[in-house]
Amino acid sequence: MARIKTEKNISRKDVIVTKAAILFREKGFKAASMRDLAEAVGVEAASLYNHIKSKTELLHELCFSVANRFLHKIDEVEAEPITAIEKVEKLLRFHINEMVNHYEEVYVSDREWKHLSDPYLSNFQNQRRIYRKRFAAIIENGIRHNEIKKIDAPTAVLIMLHAISGIESWHRSTQKISAEELEENMITILVGGLVNR
Amino acid sequence: MARIKTEKNISRKDVIVTKAAILFREKGFKAASMRDLAEAVGVEAASLYNHIKSKTELLHELCFSVANRFLHKIDEVEAEPITAIEKVEKLLRFHINEMVNHYEEVYVSDREWKHLSDPYLSNFQNQRRIYRKRFAAIIENGIRHNEIKKIDAPTAVLIMLHAISGIESWHRSTQKISAEELEENMITILVGGLVNR
DNA sequence: TAAAACAACTAACGCGTGTTAGCAACACTT
DNA sequence: AAGTGTTGCTAACACGCGTTAGTTGTTTTA
């Protein structure tokens, strides 16, 4: 009867949540079964329920832990006395790093939140909407100060956030450039565009 | 015993495939059941099998019809005697229009292809990989001719394609700018960047 | 070392799934 | 109007799912 191995400060629940992120990313939330997860953890499916309440709880945990990190970051960035472009760049770099270093979690939170159920679902959607509005507000500020082109701010936000989710492809690719190169390339393109002038 | 209504040149299978796209987009492939689909079509679940072979067949049809449209387009664009930037812009505009006008299909093809099974799966992945390489080759050409900044071409492709998939958010949003405005904004930002200079 | 708390197990439940078989009603052709 | 293929129906199948109950084994505490 082999127990789930834990290290210091890592609960068995944390182990399960982490493995769940990997599995949900790989197969999708619906397609990943609790029996799959149990196998990944090295235990029988029923045993998981000594540590978690339900499959959906795993999704809650993942989605909200990611969402909270982004909300804290935008709090921080908004308060800094820097230009709008610098704020945008800081947020982008944060997004890129989160996507590079916490790939599974961020990816799952991004693509599988639809399977949350109320009240978590509407809660999550709200947080997401608010985050985007605050991001757009920064861009609108930049437009007002002539730092940023006269564009539709919500559209800009949408482009930025989705472009970053493309790091998924980078992660999966075999011959990948370094994370640093990736970051610099993304910032160059998103902030400065393709055209050479 | 109400039949599936068909208009001229639209087979009953086409009706089913179209409804499937809407449903798969809404709930995800795995979460959408054949009974859901039957209800959307206005028929019992078993009746669907007079027109289709399996649930997965619906996904094949959607994924490959979308993939083929993009492959034909890149054939066309590659052959034109225009600059690299113009080629990129043409492809981007095509992507944007496809995403705006065939939202459900394109979205499903983009997000649910994982649930294809071999040999369709590897086939689809191949086509996708090849498409991206050809897109990247256009960008690399532009870099060689100094039209485009010295950036990592695969990263640029990844940004472009994923940015466009963000049109999903536009589609869902309530107060949306017009499709034309969206298109112009996206091209402006992706080709020219955010910064005003 | 005994008791208490924890974490694993086996067995099974009810349910929803994709799909098939067999039959009835419709639509079109001659 | 008869015949033929098409398209719908009902019933049911085998299976995998998330989850619970009850029990056994292991670790921690006193």
Side-chain angles (χ1 to χ4, degrees), chain A residues 161-181:
Chain A
L161 298 189
H162 281 83
I164 283 158
S165 83
I167 293 177
E168 163 225 348
S169 306
W170 172 83
H171 242 112
R172 228 195 295 280
S173 110
T174 47
Q175 358 147 273
K176 47 185 163 207
I177 59 176
S178 75
E180 291 76 23
E181 282 178 286

Side-chain angles (χ1 to χ4, degrees), chain A residues 1 3 32-35 45-46 49 53-55:
Chain A
M1 209 181 266
R3 297 203 154 193
S33 78
M34 293 304 278
R35 286 166 179 86
Y49 288 85
K53 283 198 289 291
S54 66
K55 186 186 184 187

Side-chain angles (χ1 to χ4, degrees), chain A residues 131-189:
Chain A
Y131 182 85
R132 290 184 180 192
K133 281 204 174 160
R134 289 169 70 179
F135 202 145
I138 293 175
I139 291 180
E140 262 151 15
N141 228 324
I143 298 176
R144 245 176 273 118
H145 288 72
N146 270 330
E147 298 168 36
I148 295 178
K149 287 195 182 109
K150 284 186 186 57
I151 44 161
D152 182 58
T155 302
V157 172
L158 160 172
I159 288 179
M160 302 292 138
L161 298 189
H162 281 83
I164 283 158
S165 83
I167 293 177
E168 163 225 348
S169 306
W170 172 83
H171 242 112
R172 228 195 295 280
S173 110
T174 47
Q175 358 147 273
K176 47 185 163 207
I177 59 176
S178 75
E180 291 76 23
E181 282 178 286
L182 179 72
E183 182 174 334
E184 291 315 318
N185 268 284
M186 293 199 79
I187 297 288
T188 303
I189 296 170

Side-chain angles (χ1 to χ4, degrees), chain A residues 110-126:
Chain A
D110 218 50
R111 314 266 289 215
E112 305 292 337
W113 59 264
K114 274 186 194 180
H115 298 105
L116 288 171
S117 38
D118 271 324
Y120 299 97
L121 177 58
S122 17
N123 216 285
F124 185 84
Q125 287 174 310
N126 259 341

Side-chain angles (χ1 to χ4, degrees), chain A residues 17-18 20-22 24-25 61-63 65-70 73 93-111 164-165 167-168 170-171 179 182:
Chain A
V17 171
T18 303
I22 296 171
F24 292 170
R25 199 269 307 161
E61 302 252 338
L62 289 168
C63 288
S65 93
V66 171
N68 285 334
R69 287 208 298 276
F70 283 112
K73 187 65 183 183
R93 288 186 193 275
F94 183 72
H95 273 268
I96 294 168
N97 278 304
E98 284 289 308
M99 193 68 183
V100 166
N101 300 320
H102 309 287
Y103 175 35
E104 274 88 7
E105 274 182 77
V106 177
Y107 183 88
V108 168
S109 156
D110 218 50
R111 314 266 289 215
I164 283 158
S165 83
I167 293 177
E168 163 225 348
W170 172 83
H171 242 112
L182 179 72

